[in-house]
């Protein structure tokens, strides 16, 4: 998808993961800096099939165990790990990831077509919410919402105070919406 090539990866926090030369064996838990087409930008490692779901625009919210205050462009690095690739053969992943030509392939052949160990997209990270049960400040509305994510501001004067999102069924299926985690909102995937 990208015309540029990944030149190097630099850990943001030393000691988290040993990346070797330019690839990741990580489970997608660190945020790194990458140099892509001469520009330094933040990057996250996401395992397959979730990395491809982001790249094709089907997954607009990346759920993480940690929050970030960073806003701006972020490279989506598909990790080298293949331990979850078999999920791509199941619903809801299967119909989103594979085109008519790929459906004719065996599952093993399809999994090999997923990109591993490279930057496959760039997105704009526009917000980060805290995942909760029954989000929002209106109790009558919140009691009918099983899971969602709330703005992390505690300042009642902040215009984001009380703001929340409710994920679609597809987003819930494509992420870990356990309360206490964080929802990173991605837009303008390219």
């Amino acid at each position: 998808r990208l015309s540029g090539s990944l030149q190097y990866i630099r850990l943001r926090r030393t000691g988290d993961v040993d990346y070797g030369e330019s690839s990741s064996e990580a489970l997608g838990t660190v945020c790194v800096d990458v140099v892509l087409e001469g520009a330094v930008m933040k990057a996250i490692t996401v395992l397959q099939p979730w990395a491809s779901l982001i790249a094709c625009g089907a997954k607009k919210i990346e759920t993480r165990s940690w929050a970030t205050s960073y806003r701006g462009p972020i490279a989506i690095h598909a990790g080298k790990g293949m331990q979850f690739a078999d999920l791509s053969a199941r619903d809801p992943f299967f119909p989103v990831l594979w085109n008519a030509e790929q459906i004719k392939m065996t599952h093993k052949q399809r999994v090999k077509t997923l990109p591993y160990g490279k930057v496959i997209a760039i997105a704009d990270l526009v917000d980060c919410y805290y995942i909760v049960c029954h989000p929002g400040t209106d109790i009558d509305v919140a009691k009918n919402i099983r899971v969602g994510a709330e703005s992390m501001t505690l300042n009642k004067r902040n215009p984001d105070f009380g703001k929340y999102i409710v994920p679609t069924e597809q987003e819930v299926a494509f992420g870990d919406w356990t309360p206490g985690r964080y929802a990173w909102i991605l837009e303008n995937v390219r």
Side-chain angles (χ1 to χ4, degrees):
R1 284 191 175 250
L2 296 176
S3 59
S5 62
L6 182 65
Q7 294 169 339
Y8 72 85
I9 294 178
R10 181 179 70 229
L11 288 176
R12 185 181 65 173
R13 296 183 311 254
T14 58
D16 286 347
V17 175
D18 178 13
Y19 276 82
E21 290 182 336
S22 66
S23 62
S24 171
E25 302 278 341
L27 293 176
T29 57
V30 295
C31 186
V32 297
D33 294 328
V34 298
V35 174
L36 188 66
E37 296 180 344
V40 175
M41 72 171 62
K42 298 291 182 194
I44 53 172
T45 296
V46 182
L47 291 177
Q48 292 291 13
W50 298 282
S52 286
L53 291 171
I54 293 170
C56 76
K59 181 174 170 54
K60 298 175 185 341
I61 303 172
E62 169 63 7
T63 57
R64 294 275 157 159
S65 63
W66 47 285
T68 182
S69 59
Y70 174 75
R71 303 293 181 268
I74 192 161
I76 308 302
H77 176 259
K80 289 178 90 176
M82 298 178 73
Q83 61 267 46
F84 300 108
D86 284 342
L87 289 174
S88 65
R90 301 185 205 158
D91 282 332
F93 299 88
F94 187 85
V96 174
L97 288 173
W98 309 117
N99 63 35
E101 185 177 309
Q102 292 167 321
I103 288 174
K104 296 174 189 172
M105 298 176 179
T106 67
H107 175 64
K108 192 173 186 176
Q109 290 170 323
R110 278 194 304 269
V111 167
K112 287 182 180 179
T113 67
L114 292 172
Y116 297 92
K118 59 180 79 171
V119 171
I120 61 170
I122 297 173
D124 293 327
L125 176 56
V126 297
D127 217 335
C128 183
Y129 289 82
Y130 185 67
I131 298 174
V132 297
C133 294
H134 312 296
T137 56
D138 184 334
I139 294 172
D140 292 329
V141 173
K143 69 182 177 184
N144 297 313
I145 303 171
R146 186 179 65 81
V147 68
E150 295 181 337
S151 169
M152 294 190 300
T153 184
L154 299 176
N155 180 351
K156 291 183 179 182
R157 292 191 177 120
N158 186 315
D160 286 341
F161 180 78
K163 185 175 169 185
Y164 67 93
I165 59 169
V166 178
T168 64
E169 285 183 37
Q170 180 171 288
E171 285 291 352
V172 170
F174 291 160
D176 180 352
W177 287 82
T178 304
R181 291 176 59 83
Y182 298 87
W184 294 21
I185 311 303
L186 303 172
E187 293 181 357
N188 192 25
V189 178
R190 51 209 181 273

